[in-house]
Amino acid sequence: MLQAMHEKFETLFGVEAEVSAFAPGRINLIGEHTDYNGGYVFPAAIELGTYGLATKRDDRKIQLYSNNFEENGIVTFTLDDLVFNQEDDWANYPKGVVKYLTETFNEIDQGFNILVEGNIPNGASLSSSASIEILTGWLLKDLFDLRLERLQLIKIGQLVENKFMGVNSGIMDQFIIGMGKANHAILLDTATLEFEYVPAKFGDYVISIMNTNKRRSLTESKYNDRRAECESALAALKKELNIGALGELTLARFNQNKHLIKDEVSRRRAKHAVSENERTKLARKVLAEDDFEQFGKLLNMSHASLKEDYEVTGIELDTLAETAQQVNGVLGARMTGAGFAGCAIALVHKDSIKQLEHEVSQAYLEKIGYAPSFYHVAISGGVTSL
Ligand code: GLA
């Protein structure tokens, strides 16, 4: 792929690329919608991701091209015009990164060309957007020799989502894409940003990724609604409890105080955030004990909570996860990422992969009317220069 990208780069921009990099996508094992509630998340980077090539220009122009969005052609703007523009479509992600990087680093004083190509399915909840954000920052770090720390880049990526794109997401996606390690997941405490690499070893079991192939729509606004509902639950609890985030509560303490949350919907949202946080801590513990059965049960419970209490699944994700849960050789399954559409994951015995794909495809096709896709991918490292 890289060779073809180098050739394309020269055709597009008439010069050779100076730097190249790769940023992965991610799955989240468990710990969903906890990262903006000061809770734990447990993601892993995957070998599907985004490749990029870049070179400096002599003027202040920025030219971006994606092999995934050829219909958009070369998107052009300048260093003096770094504002969100609907028409720029996918290019707003790298544009946002450039905006915040130039606010910190005066070294970026000339324009550049970037070509990207990703093999993460877009809109599949595998973080194609965080992947391109982190990739862009990394390319510019190499191109302009910036003293850019990984954590700083991760925070810039989140800022792009929050302030440039208007999605109030947490830090999970950028964090795992910036910090991932091959064959390891990261247990991240989003309240302190302390983290631990945990071997992603499941004995005879593997993680299967199942894609609903449903295009997401309105996800951003629903995502922001969930965050607002959690905030209103927290505000209600704070009238009597001295806490700064839902992630500080055990489920027992939540249950003792949940009557403070008058709104039934917000109460359920908070219940998910608190219970999911407990499941995530437990998942880390049982994984260390090689108790894959228990780990699988936690995946199932997570999905049920995301369906009933958090209401971010939908018929497509439910069909994938709930069908998978019934397959012989599957220990557990759940949606992964923001939800509404995108992907689910299943922990499946390596001899039962074909069976899983067969049974889930049949049920899904019958109920939804089109086929899901399956991926089996290695757990990869974080963003890297090539
Ligand atoms: C999206 C967001 C993350 C996180 C997940 C849900 O991927 O970008 O910050 O909130 O949804 O766990």
Side-chain angles (χ1 to χ4, degrees):
M1 177 146 115
L2 261 188
Q3 186 49 41
M5 283 181 73
H6 275 283
E7 285 162 22
K8 180 79 172 267
F9 193 94
E10 286 191 50
T11 313
L12 284 168
F13 303 119
V15 283
E16 278 181 33
E18 288 171 59
V19 297
S20 56
F22 169 76
R26 67 101 189 86
I27 52 171
N28 186 19
L29 296 174
I30 191 164
E32 218 65 85
H33 290 280
T34 47
D35 66 344
Y36 49 85
N37 285 308
Y40 283 86
V41 290
F42 204 1
I46 56 175
E47 62 185 333
L48 298 176
T50 322
Y51 294 81
L53 305 179
T55 195
K56 281 187 199 167
R57 298 174 56 91
D58 295 331
D59 53 20
R60 293 177 65 79
K61 249 194 218 168
I62 296 164
Q63 297 211 302
L64 307 175
Y65 189 91
S66 168
N67 281 342
N68 300 89
F69 296 96
E70 294 187 323
E71 64 279 13
N72 290 80
I74 298 181
V75 180
T76 306
F77 47 93
T78 76
L79 276 171
D80 312 299
D81 175 28
L82 298 170
V83 288
F84 179 90
N85 180 351
Q86 194 77 44
E87 281 170 23
D88 288 344
D89 199 57
W90 70 275
N92 281 301
Y93 291 104
K95 196 188 220 184
V97 173
V98 178
K99 174 181 159 66
Y100 296 116
L101 272 181
T102 51
E103 285 176 7
T104 314
F105 295 98
N106 322 328
E107 291 98 317
I108 308 178
D109 56 359
Q110 49 192 121
F112 46 86
N113 304 313
I114 293 183
L115 167 66
V116 296
E117 179 168 343
N119 53 11
I120 321 178
N122 293 312
S125 284
L126 300 177
S127 278
S128 56
S129 56
S131 180
I132 198 169
E133 288 157 10
I134 299 296
L135 174 76
T136 306
W138 202 259
L139 287 169
L140 295 185
K141 173 187 82 67
D142 286 351
L143 206 53
F144 292 93
D145 225 355
L146 309 178
R147 301 179 118 236
L148 174 65
E149 300 291 332
R150 281 179 188 258
L151 189 58
Q152 199 180 0
L153 173 55
I154 286 165
K155 288 183 175 168
I156 285 178
Q158 189 190 7
L159 198 63
V160 170
E161 294 287 344
N162 296 173
K163 298 271 181 283
F164 206 75
M165 306 304 295
V167 181
N168 295 328
S169 55
I171 200 166
M172 169 170 74
D173 303 346
Q174 290 80 11
F175 199 94
I176 186 65
I177 289 167
M179 296 286 195
K181 181 165 151 184
N183 303 316
H184 287 72
I186 284 183
L187 183 77
L188 168 68
D189 179 350
T190 62
T192 59
L193 297 188
E194 275 170 27
F195 68 102
E196 177 193 0
Y197 289 110
V198 180
K201 282 207 215 112
F202 302 98
D204 290 335
Y205 292 83
V206 295
I207 298 283
S208 174
I209 303 176
M210 311 180 283
N211 191 347
T212 58
N213 288 332
K214 180 192 178 192
R215 294 295 303 182
R216 277 193 297 187
S217 57
L218 286 180
T219 307
E220 286 79 8
S221 66
K222 282 194 196 158
Y223 184 97
N224 288 350
D225 289 350
R226 291 299 177 276
R227 186 163 183 165
E229 287 156 359
C230 285
E231 275 160 15
S232 94
L234 176 65
L237 290 167
K238 271 178 150 177
K239 289 196 183 124
E240 291 197 14
L241 301 183
N242 183 18
I243 55 168
L246 294 175
E248 291 170 30
L249 293 173
T250 60
L251 192 55
R253 192 161 175 228
F254 172 75
N255 282 332
Q256 283 157 11
N257 292 283
K258 63 183 180 196
H259 61 272
L260 296 170
I261 310 168
K262 301 290 175 231
D263 177 53
E264 187 269 334
V265 171
S266 299
R267 201 184 312 134
R268 273 191 290 127
R269 306 299 191 239
K271 179 180 159 219
H272 165 76
V274 173
S275 64
E276 181 77 353
N277 196 32
E278 295 223 322
R279 282 187 289 275
T280 307
K281 288 187 263 184
L282 204 53
R284 192 266 170 269
K285 179 171 169 284
V286 300
L287 193 57
E289 295 162 355
D290 287 347
D291 189 348
F292 308 125
E293 289 207 3
Q294 202 51 44
F295 190 85
K297 283 189 185 139
L298 291 166
L299 299 186
N300 294 348
M301 288 163 73
S302 168
H303 188 85
S305 176
L306 288 156
K307 177 184 179 182
E308 308 294 340
D309 289 335
Y310 220 64
E311 295 182 281
V312 291
T313 58
I315 186 164
E316 295 86 0
L317 284 166
D318 290 341
T319 304
L320 286 185
E322 289 168 2
T323 309
Q325 288 168 7
Q326 303 305 319
V327 174
N328 251 334
V330 170
L331 295 181
R334 59 179 290 275
M335 55 152 270
T336 194
F340 307 107
C343 290
I345 55 169
L347 185 61
V348 55
H349 194 281
K350 56 182 177 4
D351 297 337
S352 304
I353 296 174
K354 283 277 157 295
Q355 192 60 23
L356 168 76
E357 295 188 359
H358 176 72
E359 287 186 35
V360 170
S361 292
Q362 254 190 348
Y364 193 81
L365 198 58
E366 202 166 290
K367 209 166 198 172
I368 311 298
Y370 50 85
S373 306
F374 298 86
Y375 320 110
H376 293 94
V377 294
I379 303 294
S380 119
V383 64
T384 180
S385 309
L386 293 175

